Amino acid sequence: MEQEPRIGVYVCHCGVNIAAAVDVEHVARAAAELPGVVVARDNTYMCSDPGQALIKQDIREHGLNRVVVASCSPRMHERTFRAAAQQEGVNPYQVEMANIREQCSWVHRDKSRATEKAGLLIASAVAKAARLEPLEQREVDVTPGVVIIGGGIAGMTVALDVADTGLPAYLVEREESLGGRVAELNRTFPSLQPVSDLLQPLIARVQDHPNVTVFLTSCVSQVDGYIGNFEVEISGYGETGTPAGGDPASKSGTPRAGLSVGSIIVATGYDVFDPQRTPELGYRDYPNVITSLEMEERLIQGDLTVDGRRPERVAFVKCVGSRDARLGNPHCSRVCCMYTAKQARLVREMLPEAEVTVFYIDVRAFSKGGEEFYDETRSQGVRYRRANVSEIYRKRSAPGVDAGLAPRAGAAPVLLVAEDTLLGQPIEFEADLVVLAVGMEPRKNAGVIQKLLKLPRSADGFFLEAHPKLRPVDTAMDGIFLAGCCQGPKDIPDTVAQAKAAASSALIPLIRGSVPVESASAVVNGELCAGCAMCADVCPYDAAALDDLWGTSRINPVLCKGCGACAVTCPSSAIHLQHFTAEQVLAQVDALVE
Amino acid sequence: MKTQKLTEQLELFGCIQCGKCTGGCPVARKTTLNIRTLIYHMLVDPSMDVDAHQELWDCTACFTCVERCPKDVEPAELIISLRGELVEGGRVPETLGTALMGIFRQGNPSGMARQDRELWAAGMEESLERAKGLATRARDASSAQEECELLYFVGCIPSYDPRIQPVARALLRTFEGAGLHPGTLGTRESCCGSEVRRMGEAGLFGMLVEENGELLRSVGARQLVTTSPHCFNTFRKEYGLDGMEVLHYTQLVARLIDEGKLTFPEPSEARQEEHRTVTYHDPCFLGKQNQIYDEPRAILEAIPGLKLVEMDRRRERSLCCEGGGGRMWVEGTNLQERLAFQRVQEAAETGADTLAVACPFCLLTLEDAVKVQGLDEQLRVMDIMELVDACGAMPHVER
Amino acid sequence: MSDPACEAKPACEAKPACEAKPAYEAKPASPEPRFEPKIVAFLCNWCTYTGADLAGTSRIQYPPNVRIIRLMCSGSVDPTYVLKPLLDGADGVLIGGCHPGDCHYQSGNYKARRRTIALKEILRGAGIDETRVWLRWISASEGQRFADTVTEMTEFLREKGPNPMRTEWAV
Ligand SMILES: Cc1cc2nc3c(=O)[nH]c(=O)nc-3n(C[C@H](O)[C@H](O)[C@H](O)COP(=O)(O)OP(=O)(O)OC[C@H]3O[C@@H](n4cnc5c(N)ncnc54)[C@H](O)[C@@H]3O)c2cc1C
Ligand code: SF4
Ligand code: SF4
Ligand code: FES
């Protein structure tokens, strides 16, 4: 049974991701000298098809029975390499990874020290690999059903896609109605389609769908379990303890339902930037300085008057609260350029005699039909001036300003102070109505969801996808996916596209019916067991129990989840945790400490 | 060429040429100074002929550009560095050269004699001696009976300028009265160098930081309080005075009022009649640069019979008085329009009879503007401490 | 006594000019290399290991002194895992687990806490400096905290100097 270890070591450059900080050729050469290593190589991309082919070929040619890949985190590609090895008859549990990207090249700049560390991590992985035992892959059944947090356009899209497959979708929305931010809008770019045309049928379908259960004024209060089998508790929503909606039972967030599902989707959307944080722009000082979201409201009302008068000069200020490091929002909000063009056009339509000017830093009209829409907007007479408005104030001597002391007179025009950077000249621009194109920010309550689901967030505060290119809707937590603006700013088409991607990713385990689980469980050596039953005491899953006949412990591998608590507790050292045995770990220590 | 290195040193590559800096710059609207274009030059062709840019001397170091830049570029630092080039080559406007020489020789920009630095305390000799004693004695801890917990840094203008001296006296009186044991350095005090740095004289500034820093630390005070927001700003951000709380007087006085250590008498019948309407001008170095907006207003609002009205451009949008960055000693390229003129007009339009300030430079520039604009019948410019003093504030301690 | 590195320090304390520029952190002038402690870290798969990955994806830099061993849960850290590296000459051992209440296996981290307290008692008894063993709760979303912990621990151990076991056992 004992095989002489024949190990292949593969060091990945990951393009320059690893190679820039680690001398990969050097560590590969060093790895070749380690005990048990038959072949050691470096390669530009180990996860690519040629990279995997290399492993397979070596297994065939050199009779390898262990594989060590030094590359990214096992969370990224352990599955890939296990599968590759398995195809050539190597047990997937005899593949070990050395994490030299996330835990080495990306966090250390000093090349010689990073190289030294990478060498040690590889030696440690080789030491473990030499002692790895073959294991059988285990699977558990999944509970069908998806919980979707957030009933905006993203959440509703996911719910319908899930429900249409015949599986139950549970849509949890904290407000009294569905629709999210889109429900606050008037018309949408680039088609200028009224939002109601878009949203009402969607909401109706969600509400009428037999497979969708909608929880309004509700939130998720507790989540247990993991991919395939989550236990989710839904409670009444009311952050401040006051009831957020009709149901009196919702007062202090009383539990409403306990759901068992296989996947969870986060679709909690975004908040808009509060321009009180840019005091130089005078928002709240002047009633005729409003946000773009307030403008949508006015467009819905069809009322653009300021104190009963039709504005003659309307100005839009872009990038308010976006692309701004000092406000902690270095990101571009991606929609403001387009919705500003949209609003400017609607203003032109409603007030043909008014002069409409957009102050911009750059115009980013990248979406499909975006540049064309921007062209049309200009051709309809909207003026674009390249200036980042620095200050808004009002001259006391301006017409309409009260002679009294209160500076808050209603309709009086304000002055936009800026530099027209194409003219290279400071300007003062008078306007009757100013619209601040506020950007998108993470939801203020994102921290609550972050804690509940243990989701990482990126530096901009939005939830972090597992991989920016290859896994854009997955998260670091298996079975939890992202849809819509909770992951970053998006327009409606992108939101819906991502929602559909999230739905199909979430459905994979549900349709498959089972998910692979860690196959490593704890095993008792009956000859050493003294029958003290301390393992049974400490096991959180009641997997360990004394055998009636022999009086020694037996661990039920189906119940055991492999936490290893019993192995540490056993006073007779009769238990070992597969795949993480003391022998393996101590061998790793040896390799690391030299 | 030296200017080439600046692009990297100052991380100008972060600039997206949005123009928010120039847009907010108070002097860009009256002179040819355009900080965004200067940055652009540095980015595309850094071999700049600095001599051709006399408008560099127009900058008031108000730092509006620094506060507003969305990319954390510090545009004004480029101006300071370019001025440094001019200073190194000795190409400095004459009046500025004189100010710098005065600081080098006598420790103050007016070049007044060092031994006259304590004349501000005329009539309060006893307090002055006590305060000086505290600041000296604490140096050798053994002989110190009273500890000097608070070091009062008077500053050059309050020390020598007869218009500002009363502000310094009012402060010393108030601190002593509130039982604070203030110490002061007397003739050992030298210019803080705030404007020296902003004029581009990095060498002299470094020297001042070294010498002053040693002296300030030697007193062992827990708190350092200044008359001027300019001294406050440099001590707070550019001296590395760890372990010493650096305060502007408005912070400390507001705190004393809040703690009940400073109270105001109920105004008599007669005085209630003549209540003042006051508007307050936020100094750039206190407001924009240090976000101290509320404390000065809290003091004013605590004064009985005083009504505070606001100008439209207040707090973050306050208009620079053009007194900073060395501009006290050089006119700049546009002599006609002064921002201070505009500012006092704005103050007068509020209907206030008094324009309150909390900075010696603002007091001088704005008062001058009131006179030139013929507003002196209508508007008085006063430091907040003068207003506090005038209403007979009573430190709440038993003597 | 004429070592320039020694003189530089007190001078710096007195001279404000030095303190004003903490950005230009003085590199040690002496040719002798800094002591680089070796830290062995046992991180639970679900929280701290993932947190360390997040530090990576966020490119947060920290000292390379830490060498990570992945375990499924902090509750599976056997006392020998801690003792062996210390006896072999590692300068510190870091155990990382999920925050209380968040353990993937319900209570492994509580077990780790209890065990670590007992272990430290034993270390003290055996004359091994127990402050070389750190137990920290770091979640999957706390990449910065992971980096900060490693930085702090490296500094702490650097201050402390090499593990005396290193030399004692070598002979
Ligand atoms: C002024 C403005 C104009 C715009 N105009 C256009 C346009 O013309 N065209 C276009 O394509 N895009 C436009 N957009 C962008 C558009 O709003 C977004 O793309 C869209 O709203 C994203 O949908 P979402 O479902 O991801 O998020 P949201 O719309 O924010 O929906 C999220 C939902 O989740 C709920 N929620 C949040 N937290 C919780 C929780 N903890 N528990 C339960 N529920 C929760 C919220 O109540 C909300 O209903 C505009 C944006 C703005 C600001
Ligand atoms: S505000 Fe900043 S980014 Fe914009 S032009 Fe000025 S320096 Fe450049
Ligand atoms: S510091 Fe003030 S005066 Fe100087 S460039 Fe900046 S905004 Fe203009
Ligand atoms: S799984 Fe992280 S401590 Fe148990």
Side-chain angles (χ1 to χ4, degrees):
Chain A
M1 186 67 204
E2 284 281 289
Q3 331 147 284
E4 181 73 16
R6 294 184 63 77
I7 306 172
V9 178
Y10 301 88
V11 186
C12 184
H13 296 220
C14 194
V16 294
N17 278 296
I18 294 172
V22 171
D23 183 342
V24 271
E25 282 112 31
H26 174 84
V27 293
R29 274 195 304 275
E33 306 299 317
L34 294 167
V37 175
V38 177
V39 48
R41 306 181 188 278
D42 62 276
N43 187 275
T44 322
Y45 286 107
M46 278 314 298
C47 61
S48 67
D49 284 346
Q52 295 183 46
L54 194 63
I55 298 178
K56 293 185 198 167
Q57 188 187 342
D58 280 352
I59 295 175
R60 286 194 301 270
E61 287 179 7
H62 297 275
L64 303 179
N65 53 22
R66 311 275 201 289
V67 171
V68 169
V69 185
S71 59
C72 47
S73 169
R75 313 178 56 80
M76 293 298 299
H77 277 307
E78 191 171 54
R79 259 184 253 168
T80 314
F81 297 121
R82 279 183 171 178
Q86 193 170 18
Q87 284 171 19
E88 294 299 326
V90 171
N91 186 283
Y93 288 87
Q94 290 179 312
V95 174
E96 181 66 17
M97 292 190 68
N99 185 342
I100 61 168
R101 192 181 74 177
E102 280 84 346
Q103 297 182 358
C104 189
S105 71
W106 276 352
V107 288
H108 311 310
R109 288 209 186 93
D110 178 338
K111 190 158 182 176
S112 76
R113 296 196 64 203
T115 302
E116 182 199 343
K117 177 172 167 181
L120 288 168
L121 292 177
I122 292 169
S124 160
V126 167
K128 179 166 181 181
R131 292 160 180 80
L132 283 173
E133 300 282 339
L135 292 176
E136 207 168 301
Q137 176 72 54
R138 287 195 297 135
E139 304 251 332
V140 295
D141 290 343
V142 301
T143 319
V146 179
V147 160
I148 301 131
I149 310 175
I153 192 134
M156 290 193 293
T157 305
V158 176
L160 287 174
D161 276 11
V162 169
D164 283 346
T165 64
L167 295 172
Y170 305 97
L171 184 58
V172 186
E173 167 59 54
R174 64 177 185 184
E175 301 298 329
E176 285 169 55
S177 56
L178 296 172
R181 293 279 178 218
V182 177
E184 298 175 49
L185 309 181
N186 169 43
R187 286 162 183 261
T188 59
F189 64 79
S191 58
L192 291 184
Q193 188 188 20
V195 158
S196 48
D197 291 3
L198 198 89
L199 207 55
Q200 288 321 320
L202 201 61
I203 293 178
R205 265 199 76 205
V206 168
Q207 278 166 340
D208 296 343
H209 204 297
N211 295 336
V212 181
T213 315
V214 178
F215 296 89
L216 294 177
T217 58
S218 299
C219 61
V220 168
S221 49
Q222 174 132 18
V223 177
D224 287 313
Y226 46 89
I227 179 168
N229 294 284
F230 288 106
E231 300 295 329
V232 181
E233 186 186 85
I234 314 286
S235 295
Y237 175 72
E239 265 177 335
T240 53
T242 52
D247 183 0
S250 71
K251 264 197 180 142
S252 50
T254 42
R256 286 179 168 171
L259 305 170
S260 302
V261 292
S263 311
I264 296 175
I265 291 189
V266 181
T268 48
Y270 65 96
D271 276 332
V272 291
F273 174 77
D274 176 1
Q276 281 180 279
R277 286 173 55 207
T278 44
E280 69 271 16
L281 298 182
Y283 177 68
R284 289 282 159 86
D285 282 327
Y286 314 117
N288 45 348
V289 177
I290 64 174
T291 69
S292 47
L293 207 55
E294 290 162 350
M295 185 63 172
E296 292 284 341
E297 166 74 24
R298 292 213 187 194
L299 290 166
I300 292 173
Q301 305 294 334
D303 176 13
L304 297 182
T305 57
V306 179
D307 249 20
R309 287 196 319 177
R310 285 158 76 88
E312 285 161 24
R313 283 145 309 174
V314 181
F316 289 86
V317 178
K318 291 216 290 195
C319 295
V320 176
S322 303
R323 307 177 67 188
D324 198 329
R326 103 204 127 121
L327 299 166
N329 287 346
H331 62 271
C332 164
S333 290
R334 297 172 60 106
V335 290
C336 321
C337 281
M338 289 311 298
Y339 76 57
T340 298
K342 168 190 76 175
Q343 294 186 347
R345 240 163 90 177
L346 295 174
V347 173
R348 288 286 294 157
E349 268 174 36
M350 289 172 67
L351 306 169
E353 72 289 351
E355 182 186 304
V356 181
T357 310
V358 176
F359 291 96
Y360 70 97
I361 309 176
D362 299 290
V363 177
R364 296 175 172 174
F366 52 83
S367 58
K368 184 163 176 167
E371 184 71 12
E372 295 89 326
F373 190 87
Y374 170 45
D375 290 341
E376 183 59 26
T377 303
R378 287 186 334 276
S379 71
Q380 296 201 356
V382 174
R383 292 182 196 171
Y384 274 74
R385 289 192 83 166
R386 192 178 184 282
N388 187 4
V389 173
S390 195
E391 197 167 306
I392 295 178
Y393 72 98
R394 184 182 270 165
K395 280 212 168 113
R396 196 163 291 268
S397 48
V401 173
D402 291 353
L405 300 172
R408 287 163 198 276
V414 290
L415 274 185
L416 280 67
V417 183
E419 186 204 8
D420 183 319
T421 53
L422 297 180
L423 294 176
Q425 215 128 80
I427 52 169
E428 286 188 347
F429 184 90
E430 216 175 56
D432 304 307
L433 180 62
V434 180
V435 181
L436 305 179
V438 287
M440 292 186 177
E441 284 189 337
R443 287 269 181 199
K444 279 170 203 72
N445 70 358
V448 178
I449 301 282
Q450 170 182 13
K451 265 222 170 107
L452 207 58
L453 302 174
K454 303 181 198 94
L455 291 184
R457 297 206 264 161
S458 38
D460 56 15
F462 291 99
F463 291 117
L464 180 65
E465 64 282 355
H467 188 284
K469 296 187 186 71
L470 303 175
R471 299 175 69 198
V473 297
D474 307 60
T475 66
M477 305 305 289
D478 287 342
I480 303 182
F481 304 89
L482 304 174
C485 293
C486 66
Q487 181 257 341
K490 280 175 200 66
D491 58 9
I492 296 170
D494 283 0
T495 298
V496 171
Q498 200 195 23
K500 287 185 157 287
S504 53
S505 295
L507 284 167
I508 294 171
L510 305 196
I511 289 168
R512 205 168 167 264
S514 66
V515 284
V517 289
E518 271 314 316
S519 295
S521 60
V523 178
V524 183
N525 178 343
E527 286 177 19
L528 295 178
C529 173
C532 67
M534 279 170 79
C535 49
D537 282 349
V538 46
C539 177
Y541 306 102
D542 294 333
L546 292 191
D547 186 292
D548 286 344
L549 186 60
W550 302 102
T552 53
S553 173
R554 294 258 320 254
I555 290 171
N556 179 342
V558 178
L559 294 179
C560 172
K561 299 207 191 314
C563 74
C566 53
V568 190
T569 308
C570 176
S572 319
S573 302
I575 306 181
H576 75 270
L577 176 63
Q578 292 173 330
H579 212 62
F580 293 92
T581 66
E583 190 206 352
Q584 291 163 2
V585 174
L586 295 176
Q588 285 188 278
V589 168
D590 263 340
L592 289 179
V593 182
E594 296 151 300
Chain B
M1 188 77 201
K2 266 198 178 154
T3 47
Q4 256 146 336
K5 271 189 260 144
L6 289 178
T7 312
E8 251 166 73
Q9 265 167 24
L10 299 173
E11 296 179 34
L12 300 181
F13 294 115
C15 172
I16 54 168
Q17 289 291 304
C18 69
K20 188 143 183 162
C21 46
T22 298
C25 173
V27 297
R29 272 176 271 165
K30 46 171 264 188
T31 83
T32 54
L33 180 68
N34 185 328
I35 176 62
R36 179 195 54 84
T37 10
L38 285 174
I39 293 175
Y40 193 63
H41 277 302
M42 297 297 290
L43 290 173
V44 297
D45 177 20
S47 58
M48 180 188 289
D49 175 16
V50 213
D51 285 303
H53 290 278
Q54 281 309 303
E55 80 277 10
L56 285 170
W57 297 111
D58 292 346
C59 168
T60 70
C62 69
F63 273 46
T64 308
C65 50
V66 177
E67 289 310 306
R68 300 226 175 117
C69 172
K71 295 292 172 188
D72 285 346
V73 178
E74 300 188 322
E77 292 292 343
L78 172 62
I79 295 185
I80 294 174
S81 300
L82 292 176
R83 285 178 173 184
E85 297 288 301
L86 290 168
V87 169
E88 245 173 62
R91 296 162 313 225
V92 187
E94 202 188 324
T95 44
L96 274 191
T98 316
L100 290 170
M101 197 46 88
I103 292 170
F104 181 68
R105 294 226 172 103
Q106 299 293 342
N108 70 84
S110 330
M112 311 271 262
R114 177 173 280 285
Q115 63 269 26
D116 290 345
R117 195 168 178 109
E118 44 188 52
L119 289 186
W120 62 274
M124 312 181 56
E125 282 74 12
E126 214 175 293
S127 298
L128 177 71
E129 284 314 313
R130 196 161 40 234
K132 275 167 57 184
L134 269 173
T136 332
R137 239 181 293 139
R139 263 197 302 180
D140 49 323
S142 55
S143 63
Q145 282 165 329
E146 281 179 298
E147 232 185 285
C148 173
E149 8 183 277
L150 174 71
L151 182 59
Y152 171 38
F153 188 89
V154 184
C156 298
I157 311 275
S159 295
Y160 290 103
D161 193 304
R163 174 63 190 90
I164 316 292
Q165 285 170 343
V167 178
R169 285 197 289 274
L171 276 171
L172 183 60
R173 214 167 16 242
T174 306
F175 295 150
E176 272 211 314
L180 284 182
H181 309 292
T184 173
L185 293 168
T187 55
R188 291 190 296 151
E189 190 184 281
S190 295
C191 177
C192 69
S194 164
E195 306 314 288
V196 174
R197 179 171 116 70
R198 284 152 186 79
M199 287 187 260
E201 221 322 1
L204 178 55
F205 179 65
M207 200 186 95
L208 291 170
V209 168
E210 200 161 314
E211 287 173 0
N212 288 338
E214 206 163 329
L215 182 62
L216 292 171
R217 263 180 278 256
S218 73
V219 176
R222 218 167 25 81
Q223 289 178 321
L224 174 65
V225 67
T226 71
T227 323
S228 169
H230 295 250
C231 313
F232 161 69
N233 181 65
T234 189
F235 286 148
R236 183 173 170 200
K237 296 180 183 160
E238 289 152 4
Y239 266 66
L241 296 172
D242 299 334
M244 214 185 289
E245 189 191 11
V246 180
L247 293 167
H248 182 249
Y249 84 76
T250 49
Q251 293 176 290
L252 188 55
V253 171
R255 210 179 280 178
L256 293 176
I257 294 173
D258 200 45
E259 290 167 353
K261 290 186 183 148
L262 184 65
T263 52
F264 298 91
E266 279 306 309
S268 64
E269 294 282 306
R271 293 195 62 185
Q272 246 162 4
E273 290 296 293
E274 45 138 342
H275 77 203
R276 279 172 193 281
T277 304
V278 178
T279 189
Y280 170 66
H281 163 80
D282 288 280
C284 298
F285 280 68
L286 195 60
K288 283 189 202 89
Q289 296 185 32
N290 287 289
Q291 288 75 45
I292 295 169
Y293 299 111
D294 295 327
E295 289 88 339
R297 291 178 169 80
I299 301 173
L300 290 171
E301 272 164 350
I303 298 176
L306 184 151
K307 184 165 166 232
L308 180 65
V309 296
E310 292 283 4
M311 287 182 269
D312 191 59
R313 305 176 78 177
R314 59 188 179 277
R315 299 172 73 98
E316 292 85 356
R317 289 178 293 156
S318 175
L319 178 62
C320 176
C321 78
E322 251 181 304
R327 288 292 306 282
M328 288 307 283
W329 306 289
V330 65
E331 268 298 349
T333 57
N334 179 340
L335 309 179
Q336 286 77 45
E337 304 160 58
R338 288 195 195 178
L339 298 175
F341 293 172
Q342 199 181 329
R343 191 56 170 164
V344 296
Q345 288 295 350
E346 288 175 2
E349 281 172 8
T350 63
D353 51 54
T354 305
L355 172 56
V357 297
C359 169
F361 289 160
C362 298
L363 184 48
L364 294 176
T365 52
L366 294 176
E367 193 167 77
D368 190 46
V370 163
K371 284 188 195 129
V372 179
Q373 300 271 290
L375 288 170
D376 29 359
E377 294 286 282
Q378 199 183 329
L379 193 68
R380 283 185 68 185
V381 185
M382 289 177 84
D383 192 276
I384 288 182
M385 275 324 284
E386 294 181 287
L387 285 163
V388 170
D389 217 33
C391 73
M394 289 188 301
H396 192 76
V397 278
E398 287 86 65
R399 279 280 167 111
Chain C
M1 258 301 88
S2 61
D3 181 353
C6 288
E7 280 175 14
K9 212 173 172 207
C12 214
E13 265 156 22
K15 288 276 185 320
C18 281
E19 289 193 5
K21 298 180 200 135
Y24 313 115
E25 202 184 302
K27 291 246 161 62
S30 80
E32 194 177 305
R34 272 199 310 191
F35 162 57
E36 293 296 354
K38 286 182 200 167
I39 304 171
V40 175
F42 297 99
L43 308 184
C44 88
N45 178 57
W46 305 97
C47 287
T48 315
Y49 190 87
T50 313
D53 276 355
L54 179 61
T57 36
S58 319
R59 309 296 198 276
I60 305 169
Q61 305 290 305
Y62 57 82
N65 302 55
V66 67
R67 294 108 199 243
I68 295 168
I69 294 179
R70 179 169 72 118
L71 298 177
M72 291 314 276
C73 175
S74 66
S76 68
V77 175
D78 193 275
T80 55
Y81 297 0
V82 181
L83 278 169
K84 181 160 168 50
L86 288 179
L87 295 179
D88 286 355
D91 300 293
V93 173
L94 171 66
I95 304 168
C98 314
H99 285 271
D102 284 352
C103 172
H104 193 73
Y105 307 101
Q106 298 177 9
S107 55
N109 47 6
Y110 293 116
K111 290 169 186 143
R113 178 157 63 192
R114 246 176 287 135
R115 220 171 279 129
T116 309
I117 293 169
L119 178 69
K120 288 194 166 198
E121 206 59 55
I122 296 168
L123 289 176
R124 229 189 326 263
I128 301 176
D129 184 352
E130 85 278 4
T131 60
R132 293 182 181 275
V133 179
W134 288 27
L135 174 66
R136 291 289 182 277
W137 310 140
I138 299 169
S139 83
S141 56
E142 294 177 327
Q144 183 68 52
R145 185 171 146 89
F146 177 76
D148 291 347
T149 303
V150 172
T151 310
E152 198 188 323
M153 187 167 183
T154 307
E155 288 307 320
F156 174 83
L157 293 172
R158 190 172 279 149
E159 195 96 321
K160 210 164 236 321
N163 176 2
M165 287 293 154
R166 203 190 273 207
T167 42
E168 275 166 38
W169 284 74
V171 259

